[in-house]
Amino acid sequence: MVLGGGGSRGFAHIGVIKYLTEVDFKPDIIVGCSMGAIIGGVYAAGYSAKLIEDVAREIALDPSKEFLSPSFSLTELYDSVKFEKLLRRLVGKIKIEELPIKFAANAYDIISQKEVILDRGSLFSALRASASLPGVYESIHFPKENLTLMDGGVVNPVPVNIARRIGANFVIAVNVLERFPKGNINIGLPYFHRKRGILQFIGRTFAFKRENVLHGLISWFMASQGALVNYSLETYKPEVLIEPELKGISTILDFTKFDEVVRAGYMAAKESLKDVIISLKK
């Protein structure tokens, strides 16, 4: 099972796991990217679907407490130290090799400019690296290994190819991101002229910069992710693709509709897997 990246949209993965639990089916291999790595990692570590849902709901009710606590650093928008405390509380010092389910996550190394497959060593470090969303959390550096890692979604949001590489022969992939680009527009633009005046000056000077910068960053990231998703799923086709209906979630940092997102994942899994699970159990 491959769980793709997608921030708060990734809570749909919980619904998928809930359905798998109901039909008494557990995958042999889990590969995750970003939020998919976090949810897949704790599931591989033995967390029940209910426990994952309870913990995630607590996070969604107050994301500013740990998950999205504002940072005063120039290297990130949100406090990665508090984010790390959350992950440590969830997985401690477990090693990936010790997990009851085979697991891997992906990340991107800024130094070598290569995708990195994280399938051994510290589970905490793998989850932290895979979810290091550029600009949101600072990248993490491992001097001995000469690696500086950021979110795996930068290069591979739904890493089906990694699942194949580590032994999967039947892949169920879950994509929670929108597909981009959504067509194109042919238009001739007029000459752009910025209005100048005291009201415009005040508006620009006292705008809520963090929100504006973040909105632009996330919009760019979601568009690039959507384009990569198209390429990845066309190149490395899974046997089953689950894509929950999440049109009401405006960004990957919208935590206001937790229950709706989880239910969307559950319903999409039920629709896509109801016949597949029966054949796989045989």
Side-chain angles (χ1 to χ4, degrees):
M1 184 168 69
V2 176
L3 304 179
S8 59
R9 298 168 71 94
F11 286 145
H13 296 318
I14 299 172
V16 175
I17 292 172
K18 284 180 69 175
Y19 176 74
L20 293 179
T21 301
E22 280 188 11
V23 297
D24 192 29
F25 181 83
K26 186 171 286 189
D28 300 305
I29 297 172
I30 296 174
V31 175
C33 172
S34 197
M35 181 63 87
I38 294 174
I39 293 174
V42 296
Y43 179 54
Y47 277 61
S48 67
K50 184 181 185 307
L51 183 54
I52 295 173
E53 184 175 14
D54 289 345
V55 171
R57 179 177 283 107
E58 182 182 342
I59 293 170
L61 287 173
D62 187 9
S64 63
K65 183 179 179 180
E66 289 178 303
F67 198 81
L68 296 179
S69 178
S71 172
F72 298 99
S73 169
L74 295 177
T75 62
E76 59 186 6
L77 286 170
Y78 294 108
D79 192 339
S80 57
V81 174
K82 290 185 177 180
F83 175 49
E84 289 165 6
K85 287 181 180 178
L86 169 64
L87 293 179
R88 284 194 179 94
R89 191 169 75 245
L90 291 175
V91 301
K93 295 185 178 181
I94 299 173
K95 290 187 176 182
I96 295 175
E97 301 94 313
E98 300 169 348
L99 297 175
I101 299 177
K102 191 172 183 178
F103 175 78
N106 70 335
Y108 176 68
D109 176 35
I110 300 172
I111 296 175
S112 67
Q113 299 182 334
K114 293 180 179 179
E115 183 178 18
V116 178
I117 300 173
L118 305 166
D119 60 354
R120 60 185 184 276
S122 167
L123 177 60
F124 160 75
S125 295
L127 303 188
R128 171 64 175 88
S130 187
S132 300
L133 190 66
V136 175
Y137 298 119
E138 65 180 359
S139 303
I140 55 175
H141 185 55
F142 296 88
K144 185 177 179 181
E145 292 77 12
N146 193 31
L147 296 170
T148 298
L149 302 179
M150 66 166 53
D151 196 300
V154 169
V155 290
N156 196 359
V158 190
V160 173
N161 59 319
I162 293 178
R164 304 280 191 206
R165 182 169 175 175
I166 65 174
N169 53 33
F170 189 100
V171 176
I172 299 169
V174 187
N175 171 46
V176 298
L177 291 167
E178 291 188 76
R179 305 290 194 99
F180 286 92
K182 298 181 176 181
N184 53 65
I185 301 172
N186 190 336
I187 188 172
L189 294 175
Y191 179 76
F192 174 73
H193 178 71
R194 186 185 301 279
K195 291 184 179 180
R196 299 183 183 277
I198 186 64
L199 293 179
Q200 286 77 18
F201 175 78
I202 292 174
R204 286 176 54 79
T205 302
F206 295 99
F208 187 20
K209 296 296 185 183
R210 179 179 295 276
E211 179 178 344
N212 293 340
V213 169
L214 182 59
H215 177 75
L217 180 67
I218 296 301
S219 295
W220 158 76
F221 191 72
M222 288 185 71
S224 64
Q225 294 297 278
L228 284 171
V229 165
N230 276 336
Y231 170 78
S232 177
L233 293 177
E234 288 175 7
T235 306
Y236 307 103
K237 293 182 179 180
E239 277 66 36
V240 179
L241 176 62
I242 302 172
E243 293 189 290
E245 182 62 58
L246 298 171
K247 287 185 178 179
I249 309 302
S250 57
T251 77
I252 59 175
L253 296 181
D254 179 2
F255 287 79
T256 61
K257 299 179 180 179
F258 176 81
D259 290 313
E260 293 177 36
V261 174
V262 173
R263 178 166 175 76
Y266 176 89
M267 296 305 296
K270 185 176 182 180
E271 178 64 27
S272 301
L273 295 175
K274 56 185 177 182
D275 297 324
V276 174
I277 296 298
I278 294 174
S279 62
L280 286 177
K281 282 186 174 182
K282 292 178 181 179

